[in-house]
Amino acid sequence: MTGGSGSVPAGTATTRRTGQPIDRRAVLARHHPRRAEHRTGEPLQVGNGELAVAVDITGLQSYPDAHPHASIHGEPEGTLLGTMAQWGWHSVPIADGARLADALRTYDTPRGPVTYVDLDTTARGPDGDVGTDDERTLRNNPHRLHLGLVGFDLPVEIESLRDVEQHLDLWTGVLSSRFRVPGQEVTQVTTAVHPCEDVLAVRVEGYVPPVSLRFGYGSESWTNALDLSAPGAHTTVLEGGDGRWRIHRRLDATRYTADVTTDGEAELVEQHRVGVTTTGPSLSLTVRLREGEAPAVATSLDEVLVACEDQWPTFWRSGAAVDLGEVEDPRAHELERRIVLSQYLTRVNCAGTLPPAETGLLTNSWRGRFHLEMHWWHAAHFATWGRPELLERSLGWYQRILPEAQRIAARQGYRGARWPKQVAPDGRESPSDIGPFLLWQQPHPIHLAELVRRAVRHRDGDAAARTVTERYREVVIESAELMADVVSATDAGFALGPPLVPAQESYARLRHRLTNPTFELAYWRWALLVAAEWSRELGLPERTRWIEVADGMVSPLTRAGRYEAIDVDPFTIRTDHPSMVAALGLVPPTGLIEEEVMSSTFDGVLADWDWESTWGWDYGMLAMTAARLGRGTDAVDALLLPAAKNHHGSHGHNVQSPTLPAYLPGNGALLSAVALMVAGWDGGPERPGLPPTWSVRHEGFVRAPGPANTGT
């Protein structure tokens, strides 16, 4: 990357927003995933945001052991061939006896003692996990459930398959696979998930091996979502006939059904394995997965394929597009590949009715529980790319758990709602020495709601935007109430902490004494001012306290002309997220951050940061800051920085490590950065954050927010 002297002057990059529309299908065609061999750890997915199915080279989940998921202890503990739905969760029976109140510990704060849900890191369980028995149970439950493997029963190992070809058509979301078992004719497989319903559809032609549906128990492990070693802990019952069967599944209090429609025959061949066979030259199979005991609905293969051929092109034609095909820089093809595949993967994994887990619906991480500080990185891009309805699917969840967030705030003696960190659908906190002390998830609902409102106004006009304001008014107001109340007044202004853990979690062990992280200070100011704007538009009484706090936030600490991470020693630990740069990047201009100082801070990060300790969203974060500074060349360099955790596999997933084989915040961060680089922000210069030599075509983007009004 270049330093500050290499900044890109405003308006120098070539962009084209008018003229002939982008041939979006042609852009996608350059990047359809194609396979001619098995690639361990890189399965392809089909899905719709609510249900996703990851498959191997056979087009089904025939070889789950060939895509192992390593445990935090290093051994294989599960599979990356997930079948996961937003509604699919399980708790072990003992979870009912664990009490969150037993994990409360008191911390000193500027306003007196406050209780936090904590974790006893001196205690360890038999598997090495930290915490008391009850704390670990509360962290582990509920956990996301693997709903079952659908695969061929093949007589050879995956390496023995021949004539392998696989092609994912991104335009339709349909996967085509072919392979040969030695001594047999070629098997051709079509695999798809209905774009609007939780239905997996499969067509097999040529040599038709037997198909099995295999089911397991839930798992409390960090990664595994499918426990095949406890057959007595759950039940599988098959009923039906004449092409329509229902599989009843029971795991403790969890119930779900799999309705199978096929032109073959089904039978329960083992305790938890249903076999589907045919004597004909082809086999059609659909599996509708449903929570509970909902009435059966038959869905044909053709219905699923027709829906895919209609709905997926509608997605690709909607919102924004960018075409880097005319850019001569050889890196542009790789950047465009990541952009295209990240749109597909976030649509499959991050566009559901719950905030996503960091590994989405591919496999479990943190037992499938989702992290609210990551929600912005997962899903904010849907709005800036002109698809706000996809962000709204998960944004509505905050309304559902608002009472729980209000209870957390009230227990601590604060007004408003305090959003938890690591949660499941119920919104309950998890014992942790990090999560309950984080602050940066608190402004996210305000920011996400504002992005939705802007995108809806851009597309549908002011009246539609007003309905968005009404829809999320409680979430925005209650978020801001906590923010204005949790600060403490000091001689230097309104301060944050202690205790706290900043976005840069390297500081977790010092949480009892940390104050005023640079990123959070700027984010606090901007979000409070946005919330005040909402309040005025809603005709509510003036929120003078919010504006007073926003205008009076402590200034971030600078030393040697650079922003520090926090304002107490050690001021900047140079590992993990360099989150101080997000104070002008993810956060629009606030008046708290000086561009010259941030530019020097950015240069310092580039000079000596420990890149091996970073995470996938850090590169998008850096690119957003570079764009705000007018450093387009540096923005592209950041997105393509050659670091281990900035790798995007052939399937498009942002791979972090064997224990974190996919990382959707990295994909979402890339898309948010590209939107800012291309479209800019309100009140900003008319230029994208791109190198001056790049000729880029783009259309449909929504400008990011600019500075909020102070109201004073």
Side-chain angles (χ1 to χ4, degrees), residues 420-438:
K421 190 271 193 195
Q422 182 177 307
V423 295
D426 57 7
R428 173 185 55 76
E429 290 185 284
S430 295
S432 173
D433 58 337
I434 295 176
F437 303 91
L438 289 178

Side-chain angles (χ1 to χ4, degrees), residues 267-329:
E267 64 175 323
L268 190 65
V269 295
E270 291 178 4
Q271 185 178 3
H272 298 294
R273 184 164 71 92
V274 174
V276 180
T277 57
T278 182
T279 57
S282 65
L283 175 69
S284 292
L285 173 74
T286 65
V287 182
R288 179 185 289 273
L289 294 159
R290 290 197 172 194
E291 185 177 16
E293 293 284 345
V297 177
T299 306
S300 71
L301 170 81
D302 289 341
E303 288 176 304
V304 174
L305 295 180
V306 167
C308 286
E309 290 166 2
D310 175 61
Q311 294 298 312
W312 269 102
T314 298
F315 164 76
W316 290 114
R317 293 187 186 105
S318 73
V322 61
D323 182 351
L324 304 182
E326 297 178 11
V327 179
E328 295 182 359
D329 187 328

Side-chain angles (χ1 to χ4, degrees), residues 400-525:
R400 299 199 294 276
I401 72 148
L402 180 59
E404 178 65 22
Q406 289 170 322
R407 282 191 288 271
I408 296 172
R411 189 198 73 228
Q412 295 185 323
Y414 300 123
R415 294 191 297 270
R418 183 162 194 158
W419 304 109
K421 190 271 193 195
Q422 182 177 307
V423 295
D426 57 7
R428 173 185 55 76
E429 290 185 284
S430 295
S432 173
D433 58 337
I434 295 176
F437 303 91
L438 289 178
L439 289 175
W440 64 294
Q441 73 270 29
Q442 186 66 27
H444 279 350
I446 299 173
H447 199 168
L448 294 172
E450 175 66 8
L451 291 178
V452 168
R453 183 172 73 154
R454 294 169 56 82
V456 169
R457 178 183 290 122
H458 175 82
R459 186 183 63 191
D460 302 324
D462 289 341
R466 281 193 292 273
T467 66
V468 172
T469 311
E470 289 290 345
R471 186 152 59 245
Y472 300 111
R473 61 186 292 169
E474 266 197 299
V475 168
V476 168
I477 289 169
E478 291 298 289
S479 298
E481 283 286 88
L482 184 285
M483 293 173 65
D485 199 28
V486 78
V487 298
S488 57
T490 70
D491 292 341
F494 290 104
L496 296 173
L500 64 80
V501 175
Q504 186 182 356
E505 295 177 7
S506 304
Y507 288 95
R509 63 184 178 82
L510 306 175
R511 59 190 178 277
H512 61 285
R513 66 177 183 85
L514 297 184
T515 54
N516 300 321
T518 293
F519 164 44
E520 284 84 342
L521 289 171
Y523 205 6
W524 231 249
R525 171 172 164 77

Side-chain angles (χ1 to χ4, degrees), residues 25 198 242 337 368 375 383 430 549 617 658 660 689 704:
R25 189 167 190 174
D198 293 349
D242 295 326
R337 183 187 76 90
H375 192 197
S430 295
V549 171
W617 56 266
L660 201 55

Side-chain angles (χ1 to χ4, degrees), residues 67-71 75-80 222-223 363-365 658-661:
H67 287 286
H69 190 170
S71 73
E75 303 85 9
E77 195 172 62
T79 179
L80 304 186
W222 194 84
T223 54
T363 185
N364 270 0
S365 56
T659 60
L660 201 55

Side-chain angles (χ1 to χ4, degrees), residues 11 30 32 48 62 68 137 167 236 240 317 319 340 353 356 404 419 443 464 470 489 504 563 635 654 683:
R30 296 198 282 263
H32 290 321
N48 59 22
S62 309
T137 295
H167 169 221
T236 303
R317 293 187 186 105
V340 166
T353 48
E404 178 65 22
W419 304 109
E470 289 290 345
Q504 186 182 356
Y563 289 112
N654 179 207

Side-chain angles (χ1 to χ4, degrees), residues 462-600:
D462 289 341
R466 281 193 292 273
T467 66
V468 172
T469 311
E470 289 290 345
R471 186 152 59 245
Y472 300 111
R473 61 186 292 169
E474 266 197 299
V475 168
V476 168
I477 289 169
E478 291 298 289
S479 298
E481 283 286 88
L482 184 285
M483 293 173 65
D485 199 28
V486 78
V487 298
S488 57
T490 70
D491 292 341
F494 290 104
L496 296 173
L500 64 80
V501 175
Q504 186 182 356
E505 295 177 7
S506 304
Y507 288 95
R509 63 184 178 82
L510 306 175
R511 59 190 178 277
H512 61 285
R513 66 177 183 85
L514 297 184
T515 54
N516 300 321
T518 293
F519 164 44
E520 284 84 342
L521 289 171
Y523 205 6
W524 231 249
R525 171 172 164 77
W526 182 82
L528 279 171
L529 293 176
V530 169
E533 287 183 17
W534 276 55
S535 182
R536 284 192 292 270
E537 289 194 18
L538 287 164
L540 300 175
E542 188 72 16
R543 305 286 173 156
T544 54
R545 171 66 176 178
W546 299 358
I547 296 169
E548 177 190 9
V549 171
D551 287 345
M553 293 301 296
V554 168
S555 295
L557 177 66
T558 60
R559 298 171 75 237
R562 295 175 179 175
Y563 289 112
E564 299 288 358
I566 57 174
D567 69 354
V568 295
D569 190 30
F571 301 105
T572 304
I573 300 172
R574 306 194 78 77
T575 60
D576 199 21
H577 311 294
S579 59
M580 72 288 289
V581 304
L584 184 63
L586 181 152
V587 181
T590 59
L592 274 180
I593 303 299
E594 299 177 28
E595 285 195 17
E596 183 177 350
V597 178
M598 182 56 78
S599 188
S600 178

